[in-house]
Amino acid sequence: MTDQMTIDIDELRKLFLFERLTDEQLTKLAGSGRVQTYGQDENIVCQGEPAECFAVLIEGEVQMISETVSAGTVAMPRTSQPGVYGGATSAYLGDRAPETYQHTLRATAPSRMFMLPAKKFAYIVAEWFPMAMHLLDGLLSGGRMQREIIDRRQRLTALGTITAGLTHELNNPAAAAVRAVSELRSLIKTSRIQLAQLAEDGIPPEKLRALIEAQEACTSNLGNQEQRSPLEISDAEDELGEALEELGVEDAWELAPALVNARFNNAYLQKIRNKVGEEHTPAALHWLAEAIEISQMLNEVTEATERITTLIRSAKQYSQMDRAPFQQVDVHELLDSTVAIFRGKVPPGITVVTDYDRTLPDIPCYAGELNQVWTNLIHNALDAMGQEGTLTIRTAHDEDEAIVEIGDTGPGVAEAIKDRIFEPFFTTKSVGEGTGLGLDISYRIVAGRHGGEIKVRSVPGETWFEVRLPLREPVATA
């Protein structure tokens, strides 16, 4: 760091902070501060140290970094815009101003800074802009409180949406499992009666064993068959039903569907007759049909419980339960878990398409917070499309950045508001339908927490939100 001490008022006038000041004010300002030069990666102010200076960028590039208790290191995007500022920005609050710097301001390239002592900065604001000072004071305290309240409400709203979707998704397999178990009770009871009837009819043990082996062969065919058209299945049921009637089997047309589902045909029917004998064939076929239906019900219970397990795994992945806040993760797992949680909220007319670059390496991130970003972007895309459209999620990587894009076929974002959509409290939704903080939260998570970038490109009928995340872990604050 080197001092140049003085600055020309024309150079100060070029900075947007001071462009409206008079020559007299600029002269006083120039005499109150000094110019300092910083090398790359040199700290201009350090969080926690006494807040003694208000710093303004003249030329170069800087980055603001904050260490928080709950969120870890928060790094804002780098900026080279002359006039950006940091340091003792709240010095005009006087005794209520923080005594130490609330952030670190780091030069990310050789930079020149105008350093104004905090006391002189406070005096100038109070003396030159008394009304503005009171307004800023109110905005600072009121705005912070309002943002915290709405931020919490936004998270609760998102949680409610996700919970409703998850409950809907869990209800279907749970109801299927309950229904299948109820039918199983009846089928097992009937199967026991059929087996007892065969024993009473005097079927020899070796023939009973042959029947059980035939049942095992039939049930193994369930789910391992070539696909058949509804017409082919109907023809097979008619053919087998007629053959069963010829044998004098009661309720032949009720038995046929279960037997056909296990690839039972006339040739196999003849094998059963040969194995168990003519007199035992009707009762054996009744028991065989019951046994096949029991296996089908067990398969349904298995599928339903596996679906429930998958949904719970997705919910756990989404919430990042029992995991470290900052970790190396596969971003595709995060996206898939978010889509799974949303599945119950996607209208039937909307198609979800994923186009993943599987060569994308794991990324260092706060996984739970990124899921909040995907939730906000997907929710906005679904709202934009209404009942019909295509939601597309794709990934790629470019040198040292991971790229996630979420697109929709809604009406698009108007050019007039495209630059405002990341502003807090700005929303295009009707009153009561949106807080205007979803994209603001997403921006703060992507840019502030991860040092990444989020932007939008849109034309009527096609909107893409692009999120870029660094593939390398951020450098720790000195």
Side-chain angles (χ1 to χ4, degrees):
M1 176 182 69
T2 58
D3 289 350
Q4 294 181 6
M5 297 306 293
T6 59
I7 186 171
D8 188 88
I9 65 170
D10 288 332
E11 193 168 21
L12 277 179
R13 188 182 283 112
K14 294 177 182 178
L15 306 178
F16 67 84
L17 271 182
F18 311 130
E19 60 187 0
R20 295 295 183 88
L21 298 183
T22 64
D23 286 352
E24 181 182 355
Q25 289 173 322
L26 287 171
T27 300
K28 185 172 183 178
L29 186 65
S32 300
R34 67 187 185 280
V35 175
Q36 291 186 344
T37 303
Y38 296 85
Q40 184 173 352
D41 295 329
E42 187 175 359
N43 287 340
I44 300 162
V45 301
C46 293
Q47 184 174 348
E49 293 184 356
E52 298 176 343
C53 284
F54 176 74
V56 183
L57 177 66
I58 301 172
E59 60 180 355
E61 183 183 73
V62 295
Q63 182 179 34
M64 186 179 293
I65 303 167
S66 299
E67 290 289 343
T68 66
V69 175
S70 59
T73 303
V74 179
M76 299 302 290
R78 301 176 180 183
T79 178
S80 57
Q81 181 182 5
V84 296
Y85 51 88
T89 56
S90 302
Y92 60 85
L93 295 175
D95 295 338
R96 291 180 293 113
E99 295 182 357
T100 60
Y101 292 121
Q102 302 300 292
H103 55 261
T104 294
L105 192 63
R106 178 177 297 166
T108 51
S111 303
R112 291 173 63 232
M113 306 292 299
F114 178 64
M115 309 296 290
L116 187 63
K119 291 183 178 180
K120 291 185 177 180
F121 168 63
Y123 173 81
I124 286 173
V125 172
E127 185 72 17
W128 294 355
F129 315 106
M131 182 177 177
M133 188 189 72
H134 293 300
L135 290 172
L136 286 171
D137 189 2
L139 285 173
L140 184 66
S141 56
R144 184 187 296 118
M145 183 182 299
Q146 187 179 21
R147 174 175 285 193
E148 288 175 355
I149 292 172
I150 296 184
D151 196 347
R152 288 195 296 269
R153 185 170 297 177
Q154 178 84 6
R155 291 179 183 273
L156 286 173
T157 300
L159 179 62
T161 300
I162 295 305
T163 302
L166 182 60
T167 302
H168 175 79
E169 284 292 297
L170 286 171
N171 182 65
N172 291 335
V178 171
R179 183 178 62 253
V181 169
S182 177
E183 292 183 21
L184 271 172
R185 288 195 179 97
S186 175
L187 289 170
I188 290 173
K189 179 180 178 180
T190 305
S191 177
R192 287 170 178 169
I193 294 173
Q194 294 289 346
L195 199 59
Q197 186 64 50
L198 280 168
E200 289 175 1
D201 292 343
I203 186 172
E206 65 274 10
K207 291 184 177 181
L208 183 60
R209 179 176 293 277
L211 178 60
I212 292 174
E213 290 175 351
Q215 177 261 330
E216 290 293 333
C218 286
T219 54
S220 66
N221 287 332
L222 295 172
N224 298 314
Q225 314 169 30
E226 294 179 3
Q227 291 294 326
R228 290 185 289 180
S229 68
L231 182 60
E232 290 174 329
I233 293 173
S234 178
D235 290 343
E237 290 176 358
D238 289 343
E239 183 180 350
L240 184 60
E242 291 175 0
L244 293 175
E245 275 194 331
E246 290 176 4
L247 291 175
V249 177
E250 295 182 4
D251 302 322
W253 298 100
E254 293 182 10
L255 302 183
L259 294 171
V260 167
N261 197 39
R263 285 291 180 177
F264 202 92
N265 53 30
N266 286 343
Y268 206 81
L269 177 60
Q270 188 59 44
K271 289 182 181 179
I272 297 295
R273 293 176 64 186
N274 295 336
K275 288 181 178 180
V276 302
E278 193 76 29
E279 70 277 17
H280 298 301
T281 296
L285 290 172
H286 271 278
W287 179 82
L288 190 59
E290 298 287 350
I292 291 171
E293 286 194 58
I294 288 172
S295 293
Q296 287 177 309
M297 291 297 103
L298 288 173
N299 288 343
E300 286 188 23
V301 172
T302 300
E303 290 175 4
T305 52
E306 286 178 349
R307 175 61 181 156
I308 291 171
T309 301
T310 299
L311 285 167
I312 292 174
R313 189 184 303 118
S314 295
K316 188 174 181 180
Q317 171 70 22
Y318 177 85
S319 65
Q320 292 297 297
M321 188 186 304
D322 302 329
R323 298 194 180 190
F326 191 84
Q327 57 190 299
Q328 293 275 349
V329 298
D330 182 351
V331 73
H332 302 120
E333 292 182 1
L334 303 184
L335 291 166
D336 286 342
S337 69
T338 305
V339 171
I341 295 297
F342 257 104
R343 190 164 284 120
K345 304 292 290 183
V346 178
I350 290 181
T351 303
V352 179
V353 177
T354 56
D355 179 15
Y356 292 160
D357 177 3
R358 293 296 182 179
T359 65
L360 177 63
D362 290 354
I363 63 172
C365 66
Y366 296 93
E369 295 184 23
L370 279 188
N371 278 338
Q372 181 70 32
V373 175
W374 313 141
T375 298
N376 290 337
L377 296 182
I378 291 174
H379 187 269
N380 284 350
L382 294 176
D383 278 354
M385 290 185 288
Q387 297 300 310
E388 294 184 352
T390 300
L391 172 69
T392 304
I393 304 172
R394 64 191 185 196
T395 62
H397 67 284
D398 178 18
E399 296 181 355
D400 60 349
E401 287 184 318
I403 303 172
V404 177
E405 294 183 307
I406 296 177
D408 66 70
T409 54
V413 180
E415 194 67 32
I417 65 171
K418 195 178 294 184
D419 293 336
R420 298 192 59 200
I421 59 173
F422 294 107
E423 292 180 9
F425 310 115
F426 179 80
T427 179
T428 58
K429 298 177 182 178
S430 302
V431 175
E433 293 185 6
T435 62
L437 276 179
L439 289 177
D440 172 56
I441 291 171
S442 299
Y443 177 84
R444 285 189 279 131
I445 291 173
V446 172
R449 295 284 278 149
H450 295 86
E453 182 182 11
I454 180 171
K455 56 187 177 181
V456 62
R457 58 184 188 276
S458 180
V459 295
E462 183 178 7
T463 298
W464 289 95
F465 279 87
E466 178 183 307
V467 176
R468 288 178 172 262
L469 299 164
L471 292 173
R472 293 180 299 177
E473 293 189 28
V475 179
T477 305

